Amino acid sequence: AVDWVAARTLASAVAVQQVHARPIVSSRMLLRLGAGAPSWQRALSSRTSGGLLVGELKETSQHSVRNTPVDVGQAVRVQYATRRALPGGGLDDVGDVLEEGTVDFRVGSGRSFRAFDEGVVGMRVGDVRRMRAPHTLAYGTEGKPPLIEPFEEVVFDV
């Protein structure tokens, strides 16, 4: 059974589509959360060195030579939904969807949000992740008025 948070997230955004697949083993390590975490968050969650909090909402079961984990340097297309980050600091502290879109970029190139450069590494086609990003990894000091204020922390469903 799919819980309502994961189902809503899947409906509102998100899949990763690799444009150029090549066999890669990602060195990204994720930590298992204990039973006290919300059910969708019990899967996998970690914090990157840049301060990005990443949680797995759906991990694909399609592991094959053609569906390898994304790594730095690969071209990808991601669908995302940007949500307001509510006080509390967790992945479940989110508000309404502020923006939705699709973006193509080369991971690590700096041509997209820094949160995407850090957060999509290790994903496979069909995975869904939630990323809580400080302003330095998202919309920065300028924001995107009127939807996103300057210095605002946001949550991406990717």
Side-chain angles (χ1 to χ4, degrees):
V2 177
D3 66 70
W4 69 272
V5 175
R8 187 176 65 200
T9 301
L10 289 170
S12 67
V14 250
V16 161
Q17 177 182 353
Q18 293 178 329
V19 178
H20 302 288
R22 58 187 170 99
I24 291 177
V25 176
S26 175
S27 61
R28 182 176 186 78
M29 294 196 56
L30 300 173
L31 304 174
R32 286 220 176 265
L33 293 180
S39 60
W40 69 269
Q41 200 178 15
R42 265 186 228 130
L44 298 174
S45 177
S46 69
R47 188 173 295 275
T48 68
S49 60
L52 182 69
L53 181 62
V54 180
E56 299 287 337
L57 298 181
K58 176 186 172 218
E59 191 171 12
T60 187
S61 60
Q62 300 174 358
H63 296 255
S64 68
V65 174
R66 296 196 65 191
N67 193 10
T68 59
V70 172
D71 205 358
V72 174
Q74 284 186 276
V76 297
R77 170 175 292 147
V78 298
Q79 295 176 346
Y80 69 95
T82 304
R83 298 173 176 275
R84 190 170 316 280
L86 299 177
L91 289 173
D92 55 344
D93 299 314
V94 298
D96 294 333
V97 173
L98 302 172
E99 176 182 54
E100 292 180 309
T102 302
V103 63
D104 298 322
F105 65 99
R106 188 164 299 280
V107 178
S109 69
R111 297 230 182 243
S112 186
F113 298 114
R114 285 184 52 208
F116 289 178
D117 279 340
E118 292 183 18
V120 301
V121 173
M123 289 182 78
R124 296 174 186 261
V125 173
D127 286 355
V128 180
R129 282 189 181 167
R130 179 166 281 174
M131 306 172 204
R132 186 176 182 110
H135 75 279
T136 55
L137 301 179
Y139 292 90
T141 58
E142 296 179 19
K144 190 174 180 181
L147 295 176
I148 300 158
E149 297 295 321
F151 301 99
E152 186 169 3
E153 184 175 29
V154 295
V155 174
F156 293 111
D157 290 338
V158 177

